[in-house]
Amino acid sequence: MRRPDTKTGILLALVCLALLGVMPVLSNARDLRLDALVFAFALSAWQVVFAVPLFAGEMVGARRKGVFAATWGPGRKRRALVIALATGAMFGLSTYLYVLGAEKAGSVNLAIAIQAYPLFAIAWETIFLGRRKTPLELLITAVLLATLVFLATGGTLRPSGLSLWFLVALGVPFLWSVAHVIIREELMHTPVTPAQVTFFRVAISTVFLGLMLVAGGAFDAGVIRAIFVPHAIALGLVYYLELIVWFHAVRHIDVSLASSITAPWPALTMVLAAVVLGEAVAPYQIVSFAIIVACIYGLTLASLRRGPQSAA
């Protein structure tokens, strides 16, 4: 396995920034009469299609075949299977919430809500990996949390203004952060490759979403037709590219640092949403975004000053 390289990780995170900025707009550019769950399944199916070539090529041409070359006991195999199924289900649910959140809360609100990702990532790294935070980091985190409340209440800070769809959108970074912290540990301590992680993630996600459709009695001919919707194909490709680039990035840098680098991507979403979708951008959204980005960079600088910290 290649040694982590910070410059490579930063460059890959910047590529993710561009891809992330396009995704909410692609989701809302579809015919919104197409059900969110059906569209999520369709784009996930295309992710599998796009993931197959790299996965198959790695299996055929690589000397070392990642997880398939590992010699594990029964207990370790069961752990790997449980992690794959659990994180795949998390990603499947997050894809549905992503599409639903973009549709109901708006692509700009979804984009800004996802900026809560570092908040969740920091929490999990503190709880599960024992990475303690300084008083300054805790203060910045409190400001970040207050700004999210400001955004969720439509800039009023009143409970009556709370948007339930914004809370749905917050489910996306919550699920992403849990799954990514778990997967990064697997990437660092097992021979599994980013291509394998990505393929298993999208395959399990697609099956999970398919089972949701079956359970709801909604898996019909309309689902098959939705697979060939151009926006599903395009978003499936962009989402897959973001995933594979992201998993390569977090092999080189911490999840919280990678997410901090991608922080400005909602600015791209704002521009595209206004130009392509005609979506209005409210002043409170711009203010919230500016404060959140400042907080994220503040957390990044505080973390870099503190230096690397081993788990307790």
Side-chain angles (χ1 to χ4, degrees):
M1 185 168 60
R2 291 178 57 189
R3 295 182 61 186
D5 179 74
T6 301
K7 290 182 180 179
T8 298
I10 291 173
L11 178 61
L12 292 173
L14 288 172
V15 174
C16 285
L17 182 154
L19 296 171
L20 285 165
V22 172
M23 285 167 51
V25 178
L26 274 176
S27 181
N28 273 5
R30 78 185 195 281
D31 183 346
L32 294 179
R33 291 175 296 180
L34 180 58
D35 181 75
L37 181 56
V38 173
F39 185 70
F41 173 79
L43 74 89
S44 296
W46 280 107
Q47 285 181 292
V48 176
V49 172
F50 293 123
V52 166
L54 185 58
F55 176 76
E58 186 179 82
M59 290 297 297
V60 172
R63 291 182 180 178
R64 183 175 57 189
K65 298 179 180 178
V67 69
F68 295 104
T71 304
W72 288 343
R76 188 63 185 84
K77 288 181 180 178
R78 283 194 295 271
R79 170 185 162 84
L81 179 61
V82 169
I83 287 175
L85 292 174
T87 56
M90 289 178 199
F91 283 129
L93 181 57
S94 70
T95 301
Y96 171 50
L97 295 181
Y98 187 103
V99 174
L100 186 64
E103 177 184 331
K104 300 296 187 180
S107 57
V108 172
N109 266 351
L110 172 71
I112 301 175
I114 292 176
Q115 297 309 292
Y117 183 106
L119 187 64
F120 292 123
I122 288 169
W124 306 144
E125 287 177 354
T126 300
I127 294 170
F128 297 118
L129 305 180
R131 296 175 184 172
R132 303 305 176 195
K133 303 303 174 184
T134 65
L136 176 60
E137 289 173 308
L138 293 175
L139 175 61
I140 296 173
T141 300
V143 174
L144 176 57
L145 184 60
T147 306
L148 288 171
V149 173
F150 176 72
L151 182 64
T153 56
T156 66
L157 289 176
R158 292 195 298 266
S160 59
L162 182 65
S163 168
L164 295 179
W165 290 119
F166 184 82
L167 296 181
V168 168
L170 282 177
V172 177
F174 175 82
L175 291 168
W176 279 1
S177 63
V178 175
H180 283 155
V181 168
I182 295 171
I183 287 174
R184 184 177 189 272
E185 292 305 300
E186 291 297 295
L187 285 169
M188 297 301 293
H189 299 108
T190 72
V192 65
T193 68
Q196 291 171 354
V197 168
T198 303
F199 176 78
F200 294 140
R201 172 250 192 265
V202 297
I204 295 170
S205 295
T206 304
V207 171
F208 177 81
L209 291 170
L211 291 174
M212 285 182 65
L213 285 169
V214 171
F219 200 102
D220 53 23
V223 175
I224 305 304
R225 289 194 296 271
I227 292 176
F228 298 99
V229 170
H231 291 92
I233 300 172
L235 186 52
L237 175 60
V238 173
Y239 206 158
Y240 165 70
L241 291 175
E242 193 276 327
L243 286 173
I244 191 68
V245 172
W246 175 263
F247 285 132
H248 276 287
V250 298
R251 292 191 83 169
H252 295 281
I253 55 179
D254 282 345
V255 169
S256 55
L257 176 57
S259 57
S260 298
I261 292 168
T262 62
W265 70 265
L268 176 58
T269 300
M270 286 182 184
V271 173
L272 292 176
V275 173
V276 177
L277 304 176
E279 225 178 90
V281 180
Y284 79 87
Q285 292 174 313
I286 297 174
V287 171
S288 298
F289 169 64
I291 295 174
I292 288 170
V293 170
C295 288
I296 291 171
Y297 284 129
L299 287 171
T300 302
L301 290 174
S303 177
L304 291 174
R305 284 186 178 183
R306 180 165 45 86
Q309 187 178 29
S310 59

